[in-house]
């Protein structure tokens, strides 16, 4: 009888070869699964970032000194976009808003190479840059719809609905100056609008200096992007932004007395300030203009 069995050393070689192929197959499958998981994590993170930027928070940087000393030039901030859509705006809130019209000087967009344009497009998509950053400003809300805002009384204070404000906790004034505005004004805030001013009161082109514009110096509430809540950069400036609510305690509401936006302002200022408080948005350290 002829012996047709495979020699033992050949069987061992075949077994070893099978184990090697199986091990390589497992490694290949593990690498593919790892790559797939990375792609899924990236897509989920991208979608989450877009949703956060669209509905929750947005990042901006500060290129001017109009909000000193609350905010410094080149500070990076986070803005809560739930206000005013879900959370009402209150007096003292520091808000970012789109230019109501004519507050900012026209700017010419600098040409970019395709790579830089692509990077900006990605950053805009995930919320690290604003697609319309050159159209935004940041100021503190002083008057709500219906409020009667007057400046200045005998002590140089501003009054809201006949209540004088002690703004020393956040105001920056020139040395030796006590009046909180270099020009007097007397206005009533129309319905669905705000009266806003910079904390660096003598270096802020705010509502006072835009009364000759179409919106008569008032900011439509619909233009508000959100409330600035946190300074994120530089590290030594990190902290929550206070709305100094105690400054506005006791002010009665006059919302029922709000006038339509077409009503003329009680006074008009002819002088202009050097700093508009524009905000733009790459939020990455070192980014900015």
């Amino acid at each position: 009888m002829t012996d047709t069995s495979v020699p033992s050393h050949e069987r061992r070689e075949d077994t070893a070869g099978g184990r090697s192929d199986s091990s390589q197959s497992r490694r290949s499958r593990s690498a593919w699964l790892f790559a797939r998981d990375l792609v899924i994590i990236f897509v989920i993170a991208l979608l989450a970032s877009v949703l956060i930027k669209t509905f929750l928070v947005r990042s901006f940087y500060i290129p001017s000194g109009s909000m000193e000393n609350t905010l410094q030039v080149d500070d990076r901030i986070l803005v809560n976009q739930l206000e005013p859509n879900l959370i009402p705006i209150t007096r003292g809130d520091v808000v970012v808003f789109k230019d109501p019209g004519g507050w900012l000087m026209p700017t010419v967009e600098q040409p970019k190479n395709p790579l830089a344009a692509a990077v900006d497009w990605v950053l805009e998509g995930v919320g690290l840059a604003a697609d319309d950053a050159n159209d935004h400003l940041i100021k503190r809300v002083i008057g709500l719809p219906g409020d009667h805002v007057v400046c200045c009384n005998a002590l140089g204070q501003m009054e809201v609905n006949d209540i004088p404000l002690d703004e020393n906790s956040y105001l920056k004034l020139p040395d030796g100056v006590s009046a909180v505005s270099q020009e007097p004004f007397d206005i009533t805030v129309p319905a669905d609008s705000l009266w806003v001013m910079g904390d660096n009161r003598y270096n802020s082109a705010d509502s006072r200096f835009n009364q000759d514009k179409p919106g008569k110096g008032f900011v439509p509430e619909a233009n508000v992007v959100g409330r600035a809540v946190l300074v994120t950069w530089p590290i030594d400036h990190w902290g929550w932004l206070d709305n100094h609510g105690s400054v506005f305690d006791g002010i009665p509401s006059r919302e029922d007395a709000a006038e339509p936006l077409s009503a003329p302002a009680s006074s008009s200022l002819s002088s202009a300030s050097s700093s508009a408080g524009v905000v733009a948005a790459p939020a990455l350290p070192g980014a900015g203009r």
Side-chain angles (χ1 to χ4, degrees):
M1 182 179 292
T2 304
D3 185 1
T4 59
S5 61
V6 178
S8 60
H9 70 278
E10 291 183 7
R11 288 198 301 270
R12 286 196 298 271
E13 289 177 357
D14 290 346
T15 303
R19 284 198 298 268
S20 177
D21 291 343
S22 178
S23 176
Q24 289 178 355
S25 177
R26 284 196 299 271
R27 285 197 297 270
S28 177
R29 177 175 173 78
S30 297
W32 184 86
L33 290 175
F34 178 72
R36 183 200 65 180
D37 290 344
L38 281 181
V39 172
I40 292 174
I41 291 172
F42 175 79
V43 171
I44 292 174
L46 184 63
L47 290 175
S49 180
V50 171
L51 289 174
I52 288 172
K53 177 223 173 177
T54 303
F55 299 107
L56 297 179
V57 296
R58 193 167 169 184
S59 56
F60 291 86
Y61 83 93
I62 309 300
S64 81
S66 71
M67 282 298 294
E68 293 177 348
N69 289 316
T70 301
L71 296 169
Q72 306 297 323
V73 175
D74 288 338
D75 277 355
R76 272 63 172 175
I77 61 172
L78 286 183
V79 171
N80 174 17
Q81 296 189 108
L82 295 179
E83 186 174 331
N85 295 324
L86 296 179
I87 304 172
I89 296 173
T90 60
R91 300 181 190 93
D93 286 349
V94 177
V95 296
V96 172
F97 56 94
K98 293 188 68 173
D99 183 356
W103 287 38
L104 299 174
M105 296 294 293
T107 58
V108 179
E109 186 174 353
Q110 298 298 321
K112 299 178 181 178
N113 63 57
L115 178 59
V119 171
D120 283 349
W121 181 82
V122 173
L123 292 177
E124 290 167 8
V126 299
L128 295 178
D131 51 350
D132 51 356
N134 291 327
D135 291 335
H136 289 77
L137 303 96
I138 184 166
K139 305 293 177 189
R140 189 179 297 275
V141 175
I142 302 298
L144 297 176
D147 282 348
H148 181 211
V149 187
V150 179
C151 194
C152 301
N153 63 18
L155 298 178
Q157 296 172 310
M158 183 162 49
E159 295 183 355
V160 178
N161 299 339
D162 300 323
I163 303 298
L165 305 181
D166 181 359
E167 300 181 273
N168 290 328
S169 58
Y170 58 79
L171 211 56
K172 180 180 179 180
L173 298 176
D175 293 339
V177 174
S178 60
V180 299
S181 176
Q182 61 268 55
E183 295 285 348
F185 59 88
D186 185 339
I187 60 92
T188 298
V189 184
D192 303 319
S193 299
L194 305 170
W195 179 265
V196 299
M197 300 174 73
D199 289 354
N200 188 359
R201 200 59 58 79
Y202 280 67
N203 191 27
S204 175
D206 47 43
S207 288
R208 297 168 294 166
F209 300 105
N210 289 283
Q211 295 185 67
D212 59 337
K213 304 300 191 303
K216 296 179 170 54
F218 301 107
V219 177
E221 289 181 310
N223 283 37
V224 176
V225 174
R227 179 171 66 90
V229 294
L230 180 69
V231 179
T232 60
W233 190 265
I235 295 299
D236 59 340
H237 291 179
W238 190 95
W240 298 100
L241 289 173
D242 192 349
N243 70 353
H244 297 273
S246 60
V247 173
F248 302 89
D249 284 347
I251 297 178
S253 173
R254 292 188 54 177
E255 187 172 358
D256 292 339
E259 300 175 3
L261 185 59
S262 58
S266 298
S267 65
S268 179
L269 305 182
S270 59
S271 59
S273 177
S274 62
S275 180
V278 185
V279 287
L284 299 176
R289 52 178 186 158

